[in-house]
Amino acid sequence: MIINMLTYLKQRRSGAQNSAFEARSPQPEPPVTLDYADIESKFDKRSFLTGEQHSYLEEHNFHLRHWLGSIDYSGQQREASLRYLISNYQPGDENRILLRLTDWVAPIQRLAAAWVFDNLHELSLEQLNAQYRLLLYLSRKERLAGSHVLKVIHQHLLSKAEQADQRSFFALNNLLRRLVYTLADLPTSCLRQRIGQDKDPFNRILLLSKVPAQELTTQEWEALASDASTFVKRRLVDFKRRHQLPLSREDLICLCLDPNRGLRELGRFYLNKDYGDDPYQLYRQQTGAERYYLADFARREDLELFSDGFSNHPAKRIKVLCFKALCACDSTLIENFSITTLLAQTKQIRQLACYHLARSWSLAQLFEARTAIEAHNPPRGRMLFLEMLYVQHKWHFIAAALQILLDDEDPQVEELIVRHVVRNTYLPQLRDQQLRSRIDHLCHQAATKSTNHPVLKLLLDQLELMLK
C-alpha cells in the first residue's frame, strides 16, 4: 500500500513538473492566423515554430516562414532565414533585414549590415517612409548608437529627404520628418525653408534649438511670433527669456489677449513684471470678447459681466469662462438658472453645474430635480443624477444604484459602482436606520441575482463588510 502511494505521488509530481515546463515554454501562435502585418511592427517579437508549423508554412507560405524564421529563438534559424530573404528579396523585406541589425549574434548583425551597405541606396523615400517605425526604433537602440551602419542609414535618409520635392517630403510621417530635421545641419540645409511650413508644431519649434538665435532671420522670427500653436507661442516666450531677448509690450499684450488661458497668465505675469502694467485694467478697456477675460480674476464686482457672458455670448469658450468665474465667486448664484438651461450647455458646464448644485442643494431638492435631470438625455441624464447623488450622500447613491441594477443591468451604472464603491476603501458610517433598512432589503433582493452578476456580487460583498 505504501509502495502504491509512493508510486502515485511520484507520478503526480512528474505530471506537475511537465505541466510547469510546458507553461514556461514559449507557446507558438498558429501560423495560419498570422500574416506580415501581424509582425512587421512588433520588433521585440520572437517566434518558436514546431516541425508541424514549419511544414505547414513551407507548403502554404514559404516567404512568411522565413519572416517568422528571421525572429526565431534559434540563431541558426535566424541566419538561414535572413540569407533566404536577402537572396530572394521582395519589396518590404527590408523590414526583416534591417531589424537584424539589432541581433545579439555578431555574424547575423554583419550579414544585415552588408546588405545595408550594398542595397540601401536603392530604396525609395516612400519605402523608407513605410518603415518609419523601424527607422525610429533603430535610431533609439543603444546597441547601434554611433555605429557605422546607423550613420549610413541616416545619411541615406537625409539625402533622399533633401532631394525630394516639397509634396513628397511633407508626405513623410511627422516623426520621420522630425528625425530628418535633427540629422540635418539646419543652418545650411535646404530643409530650413521647410521647417517653418511643417504642419507639426513640435517640428516647427526645432528651428529654435537647431539654429542659433542670432542667425534667425526676420521672416523666421515673424513666422514664429504669428504661429497659431499654443505650444509654439509658449516655447517662443521661454526661448526669449532664456536668451535674454526682449519681449515687447505689444507682444505681451497679444499674449494677454490670447484665447488660451495659460498664455494669458504668462502674458500678464511678464507684462506686470517688465512694464508695471495692470492686466486687469487692460481687460476693462476692451470692448470685444476680450473684455470677458476679466473672468480670469473672478472678482465679485464683475458678476454682472460674467452672468451676461454666460447667458448671452455665442462663443462656447466665453460661456465656460464666465460660468467658471460665477462658480468661483459664489456657487449659489448658479441656482438662479434653471436645471434645464444648465443641462443644455457644454459637457464642461454640465459637470461644473452638477457638482456645485449637488453641494448646495438639499437631498430633497436633488430628488425633486431627478426627473428633469434624467429626462435631459436618458442614458447620460441618469449618470449625471447618480454622480450628483454621490457628491450629496454616498449611501443614498448606493441605494439608488442598487435599485437600478435590480431593475436594469446598465453597464455604465456598473462601471460607476466599481469606481465609487468597490474600489473605495472608505465610506462614512451609516447612521440613518431607515436608509440602512432599505439598503438591507435591496441587498436581500439582489442576493438571488448576484450569482450571474459579478459586479453585483462584488458590491454585496463590499456592503456586507461596510454595514457590519
Side-chain angles (χ1 to χ4, degrees):
M1 182 176 178
I2 295 175
I3 294 175
N4 291 339
M5 179 62 72
L6 290 174
T7 304
Y8 166 76
L9 291 175
K10 185 176 180 181
Q11 290 173 349
R12 184 176 178 181
R13 189 183 300 114
S14 176
Q17 289 174 347
N18 290 337
S19 299
F21 176 76
E22 290 172 3
R24 290 195 304 268
S25 300
Q27 299 300 311
E29 296 183 54
V32 292
T33 65
L34 293 175
D35 60 18
Y36 298 101
D38 290 316
I39 56 177
E40 65 179 352
S41 296
K42 298 177 181 177
F43 308 128
D44 295 322
K45 185 178 179 64
R46 299 287 178 264
S47 71
F48 182 79
L49 302 180
T50 64
E52 181 182 349
Q53 292 171 329
H54 272 293
S55 301
Y56 177 89
L57 285 172
E58 284 195 12
E59 181 180 351
H60 293 89
N61 196 334
F62 194 67
H63 206 75
L64 178 59
R65 172 189 179 277
H66 284 292
W67 265 57
L68 290 166
S70 71
I71 54 175
D72 196 275
Y73 283 97
S74 165
Q76 184 178 4
Q77 179 60 59
R78 291 199 306 278
E79 182 175 357
S81 292
L82 179 59
R83 290 187 182 279
Y84 173 85
L85 292 174
I86 290 174
S87 301
N88 300 272
Y89 171 79
Q90 297 177 13
D93 287 347
E94 60 271 9
N95 178 282
R96 297 292 92 183
I97 300 172
L98 291 173
L99 183 59
R100 297 278 44 87
L101 292 171
T102 65
D103 203 286
W104 55 95
V105 178
I108 300 178
Q109 282 186 22
R110 290 195 292 269
L111 186 61
W115 182 90
V116 169
F117 298 144
D118 294 339
N119 300 280
L120 190 68
H121 65 279
E122 297 180 3
L123 297 184
S124 66
L125 189 60
E126 290 74 17
Q127 286 177 290
L128 293 174
N129 188 45
Q131 304 299 333
Y132 80 90
R133 292 185 184 88
L134 178 55
L135 293 177
L136 295 171
Y137 174 80
L138 297 176
S139 300
R140 294 191 299 266
K141 289 297 286 186
E142 185 177 352
R143 185 175 293 162
L144 292 179
S147 65
H148 179 56
V149 68
L150 187 61
K151 290 178 182 177
V152 169
I153 292 173
H154 285 166
Q155 288 170 0
H156 177 68
L157 174 63
L158 179 60
S159 173
K160 289 282 185 180
E162 289 180 333
Q163 294 171 14
D165 57 47
Q166 188 159 316
R167 181 176 180 180
S168 300
F169 178 78
F170 285 119
L172 297 177
N173 179 272
N174 62 318
L175 295 176
L176 190 61
R177 293 200 306 275
R178 194 175 307 166
L179 175 61
V180 169
Y181 291 136
T182 58
L183 295 174
D185 181 17
L186 212 53
T188 60
S189 173
C190 62
L191 297 177
R192 180 171 175 172
Q193 299 176 353
R194 292 179 177 173
I195 195 169
Q197 306 168 27
D198 200 292
K199 60 184 179 182
D200 188 334
F202 290 91
N203 289 347
R204 296 197 297 274
I205 208 66
L206 286 176
L207 192 64
L208 293 177
S209 59
K210 297 287 287 182
V211 179
Q214 63 274 17
E215 294 183 16
L216 289 170
T217 65
T218 304
Q219 292 79 8
E220 287 170 337
W221 280 118
E222 290 175 352
L224 288 167
S226 61
D227 200 293
S229 167
T230 299
F231 171 74
V232 174
K233 291 177 183 177
R234 182 177 289 275
R235 289 295 297 272
L236 181 59
V237 172
D238 294 342
F239 179 84
K240 285 187 173 182
R241 301 299 298 191
R242 190 168 61 252
H243 290 81
Q244 299 180 347
L245 298 173
L247 283 164
S248 68
R249 178 182 270 107
E250 291 72 21
D251 290 339
L252 293 173
I253 289 176
C254 286
L255 283 178
C256 290
L257 301 179
D258 194 272
N260 180 270
R261 183 167 184 165
L263 287 177
R264 292 200 300 272
E265 291 175 350
L266 195 66
R268 290 197 294 265
F269 175 79
Y270 286 119
L271 185 64
N272 181 263
K273 180 177 183 292
D274 294 349
Y275 297 96
D277 292 0
D278 184 1
Y280 182 82
Q281 296 303 324
L282 170 68
Y283 293 142
R284 291 194 67 85
Q285 296 167 10
Q286 303 302 312
T287 56
E290 290 81 5
R291 184 176 178 82
Y292 292 102
Y293 293 156
L294 286 168
D296 289 346
F297 295 89
R299 296 181 181 177
R300 293 187 67 86
E301 56 261 36
D302 299 315
L303 281 175
E304 186 177 346
L305 177 70
F306 305 152
S307 181
D308 174 69
F310 171 65
S311 302
N312 303 317
H313 201 280
K316 291 182 180 179
R317 63 182 181 85
I318 298 297
K319 284 181 175 291
V320 172
L321 191 64
C322 290
F323 189 77
K324 284 183 175 180
L326 285 173
C327 293
C329 290
D330 187 355
S331 60
T332 59
L333 292 172
I334 66 175
E335 295 182 33
N336 298 328
F337 303 98
S338 69
I339 187 65
T340 307
T341 300
L342 293 174
L343 292 177
Q345 303 299 322
T346 63
K347 180 180 179 181
Q348 196 172 6
I349 291 177
R350 280 199 306 272
Q351 290 177 336
L352 276 171
C354 290
Y355 175 77
H356 287 289
L357 288 175
R359 292 176 65 87
S360 61
W361 276 352
S362 67
L363 196 60
Q365 286 176 302
L366 180 55
F367 276 105
E368 186 179 342
R370 179 174 186 173
T371 303
I373 295 170
E374 292 187 346
H376 158 66
N377 185 328
R380 185 185 301 164
R382 184 160 69 177
M383 297 298 293
L384 279 175
F385 171 75
L386 287 174
E387 290 281 13
M388 293 176 73
L389 192 57
Y390 181 78
V391 173
Q392 174 71 245
H393 197 293
K394 294 177 174 57
W395 285 105
H396 273 284
F397 162 80
I398 290 173
L402 260 176
Q403 187 65 63
I404 290 172
L405 286 185
L406 286 171
D407 298 338
D408 176 24
E409 295 183 11
D410 189 334
Q412 288 185 314
V413 176
E414 292 178 5
E415 182 183 341
L416 201 63
I417 288 172
V418 170
R419 186 166 72 247
H420 287 326
V421 183
V422 176
R423 294 178 183 168
N424 199 345
T425 58
Y426 169 76
L427 282 177
Q429 187 177 357
L430 179 55
R431 301 181 184 276
D432 187 335
Q433 292 302 318
Q434 187 177 355
L435 179 57
R436 186 186 189 99
S437 299
R438 184 186 169 204
I439 291 176
D440 284 337
H441 178 67
L442 289 170
C443 288
H444 180 71
Q445 286 182 294
T448 57
K449 189 179 179 180
S450 64
T451 53
N452 299 320
H453 199 311
V455 172
L456 194 56
K457 178 73 166 57
L458 284 171
L459 177 60
L460 293 179
D461 291 344
Q462 190 88 340
L463 291 178
E464 184 180 357
L465 294 172
M466 291 177 175
L467 293 171
K468 281 185 177 180

